Amino acid sequence: MHFEPNSGDGAFRAEVREFIRQHLPPDMARRSYICSQPPDIEDFRRWQGILHDRGWGAPHWPLEYGGTDWTAMQRHIFMEEIYRADAIDYGWQGTHMIGPVLIAFGSQAQKKRFLPPMLRGEEIWCQGFSEPNAGSDLASLRTRAELVGDEWVIHGQKIWTSDASEADWGFFLVRTDPEAKPQRGISMLLVPMNAAGIRIRPIEALNGGRDLNEVFLDGVRVPCENLVGEPGKGWTYAKYLLEKERTASAYLYRNKRELEKAKQIARAEHTAGMRLIDTPEFARKIARVEADLLALEWSVLRILAGEKNLHDADAVVSALKIRGSEMQQRVAELQLDALGPRALRVFDQQDRSAEVIEGTPLWPSYVPGRLGQFLYARAATLYGGTREVQKNIIARRAFGL
Ligand SMILES: Cc1cc2nc3c(=O)[nH]c(=O)nc-3n(C[C@H](O)[C@H](O)[C@H](O)COP(=O)(O)OP(=O)(O)OC[C@H]3O[C@@H](n4cnc5c(N)ncnc54)[C@H](O)[C@@H]3O)c2cc1C
């Protein structure tokens, strides 16, 4: 592999680091340290605005839409610095998901209307794909939309819709042609989340978070120009969206940062008169996770370097997804392991106020949030496609089974 940082990359890293140091509000960083996922929506809006003002709102977008012309290495460095500083990772459903789809397939009017506020963090997006009985088997989704005059009328139900109650807009997969083959009858619609006929019911998560929701659509009307691209092509756009950021599914930067936190805890905690990190047993545990994370990092770098002769793209994404999500769980376990009984401190994920997150000698500042993050990480092998389904893809695409 040839993936050497070039001489400018050091200066670039210093520039990004300095910008974050100067502009990231410390209270925001503290909240993000505690609960990096899901981020606080108000913090996300503010931070996205700050990045946008610097021209870094969506570095992976083409320059003409407000992105950057950074190299893959620069984007990699940027993300490392974002996580290293406990800044907020930029808008998943917005700039990462629907943004690139609109850039590739949206109408001029849609690009003009939706991309700028997305970039500025002024409009939050949610992703309405999953349904009861249509999660892994997304092609069997039943929410339907019918063209009546110049409006789409939508009936159905979505589930596990992250941030639906905070979102301004959602991109929804709907069945527009019940006669066509399952994948071909699906379209993608842009839906304002305050439209008449939408009802949102929160689902409380294992960690007490309330970002997940059921969304009921009862005769919701959207104008026909809210269709993305062509009718019946929703499946193609959804696949494009899920494959766009191939390396993101490794959660590399999050995993590196969370491992750092585990080490920080192990340096501060003591057992039998020595630092936990100096005990052979715990040092071994850290080394095992660190070695696997390094292997994951090299896999990501091979992709960023555009190395030839890699396996089929779908199989690679699936392999990264499995490793990256399992690493999230292992690193979270390591943190809890290091904390011992202190890990049992329950921290209300909703209450991110300063008093709650302040440390005391008994409950040092690295304690709050760790249990919540551990519980949230249990979902990592589910969302974005379950581990079993990813293994099926690898079996089929990489090994032809
Ligand atoms: C925290 C979180 C956030 C989410 N956010 C969103 C969101 O914003 N928008 C959205 O649309 N969705 C979202 N989801 C939904 C997520 O994409 C689905 O949960 C996921 O695709 C799995 O679908 P399911 O829950 O219906 O499980 P099912 O598909 O019913 O699967 C149940 C079990 O059966 C296994 N299984 C299913 N099919 C196969 C097979 N062919 N071979 C082997 N095993 C199989 C699965 O691996 C799993 O263990 C989110 C989920 C979580 C947990």
Side-chain angles (χ1 to χ4, degrees):
M1 180 182 79
H2 299 287
F3 198 61
E4 301 295 328
N6 74 37
S7 54
D9 287 338
F12 176 78
R13 185 184 291 279
E15 182 191 350
V16 172
R17 191 173 291 187
E18 181 57 18
F19 177 81
I20 296 175
R21 195 188 64 75
Q22 281 186 21
H23 292 89
L24 177 67
D27 61 317
M28 200 189 275
R30 182 76 185 116
R31 278 188 290 276
S32 168
Y33 172 93
I34 291 167
C35 298
S36 56
Q37 50 179 349
D40 183 279
I41 291 283
E42 276 321 304
D43 283 344
F44 164 72
R45 282 184 201 268
R46 268 171 74 201
W47 181 234
Q48 183 67 23
I50 292 170
L51 287 179
H52 172 260
D53 289 345
R54 181 66 183 79
W56 295 348
H60 55 302
W61 286 9
L63 205 51
E64 62 177 304
Y65 295 107
T68 64
D69 54 4
W70 291 350
T71 62
M73 187 51 147
Q74 286 176 316
R75 296 219 301 262
H76 173 69
I77 291 171
F78 179 73
M79 289 309 293
E80 276 189 338
E81 292 301 318
I82 287 280
Y83 273 92
R84 199 193 64 85
D86 297 318
I88 290 167
D89 189 1
Y90 48 115
W92 273 101
Q93 286 95 332
T95 56
H96 270 284
M97 290 187 159
I98 189 63
V101 169
L102 292 181
I103 289 170
F105 307 105
S107 65
Q108 285 310 321
Q110 285 170 346
K111 291 178 197 178
K112 193 156 173 263
R113 163 66 187 84
F114 294 114
L115 295 181
M118 193 185 294
L119 207 51
R120 293 193 293 265
E122 287 167 4
E123 287 181 343
I124 304 292
W125 284 79
C126 65
Q127 175 198 22
F129 284 12
S130 304
E131 297 184 8
N133 302 318
S136 302
D137 182 18
L138 194 55
S140 65
L141 66 85
R142 290 201 305 227
T143 294
R144 62 184 200 282
E146 199 187 343
L147 196 56
V148 180
D150 57 1
E151 287 180 322
W152 291 100
V153 183
I154 315 168
H155 290 275
Q157 184 196 341
K158 296 289 173 181
I159 194 165
W160 310 122
T161 320
S162 302
D163 300 332
S165 52
E166 318 244 20
D168 305 285
W169 286 87
F171 50 100
F172 282 69
L173 288 183
V174 293
R175 189 164 297 289
T176 45
D177 184 353
E179 308 300 326
K181 281 192 174 169
Q183 276 96 334
R184 297 221 185 108
I186 294 173
S187 302
M188 189 182 282
L189 286 176
L190 308 177
V191 181
M193 294 305 288
N194 63 359
I198 290 192
R199 187 162 59 87
I200 298 168
R201 194 162 68 187
I203 305 171
E204 190 167 334
L206 203 57
N207 65 351
R210 265 159 255 152
D211 56 308
L212 293 169
N213 303 274
E214 288 178 286
V215 177
F216 300 89
L217 302 111
D218 186 11
V220 175
R221 289 173 174 268
V222 299
C224 58
E225 59 263 25
N226 284 22
L227 177 83
V228 176
E230 296 170 40
K233 292 270 179 76
W235 188 259
T236 310
Y237 308 147
K239 274 197 72 182
Y240 177 86
L241 171 156
L242 296 171
E243 287 163 10
K244 188 72 183 96
E245 280 282 294
R246 293 167 69 197
T247 58
S249 53
Y251 309 109
L252 177 64
Y253 314 106
R254 173 187 308 288
N255 283 329
K256 283 178 77 169
R257 178 63 184 129
E258 293 298 324
L259 179 60
E260 244 338 287
K261 290 184 199 171
K263 287 189 195 168
Q264 181 196 5
I265 297 169
R267 273 186 222 108
E269 293 286 307
H270 287 76
T271 179
M274 63 197 294
R275 297 189 317 164
L276 187 59
I277 199 163
D278 295 328
T279 62
E281 195 196 347
F282 205 82
R284 243 193 322 272
K285 282 186 189 172
I286 291 183
R288 261 189 225 118
V289 174
E290 195 154 33
D292 286 346
L293 194 50
L294 201 60
L296 183 68
E297 181 163 18
W298 276 82
S299 304
V300 168
L301 291 176
R302 286 175 64 189
I303 294 169
L304 294 182
E307 191 176 290
K308 302 272 181 288
N309 305 325
L310 287 175
H311 278 293
D312 166 274
D314 285 350
V316 170
V317 173
S318 292
L320 289 183
K321 169 71 190 5
I322 292 176
R323 291 301 278 178
S325 50
E326 288 179 349
M327 288 306 303
Q328 280 200 59
Q329 295 173 349
R330 286 177 61 196
V331 176
E333 278 164 26
L334 201 59
Q335 292 179 357
L336 250 56
D337 227 0
L339 283 172
R342 285 183 204 270
L344 294 174
R345 183 183 176 189
V346 175
F347 167 75
D348 182 354
Q349 296 289 118
Q350 302 299 305
D351 188 348
R352 301 181 186 196
S353 56
E355 307 85 77
V356 177
I357 62 187
E358 210 48 61
T360 65
L362 188 59
W363 300 112
S365 60
Y366 50 75
V367 174
R370 304 286 48 89
L371 180 62
Q373 292 288 287
F374 166 82
L375 293 173
Y376 198 91
R378 304 314 301 165
T381 41
L382 298 175
Y383 59 68
T386 66
R387 174 171 33 199
E388 294 75 19
V389 168
Q390 305 300 333
K391 285 187 176 171
N392 285 346
I393 295 171
I394 295 171
R396 208 171 49 245
R397 304 298 294 254
F399 302 115
L401 298 173

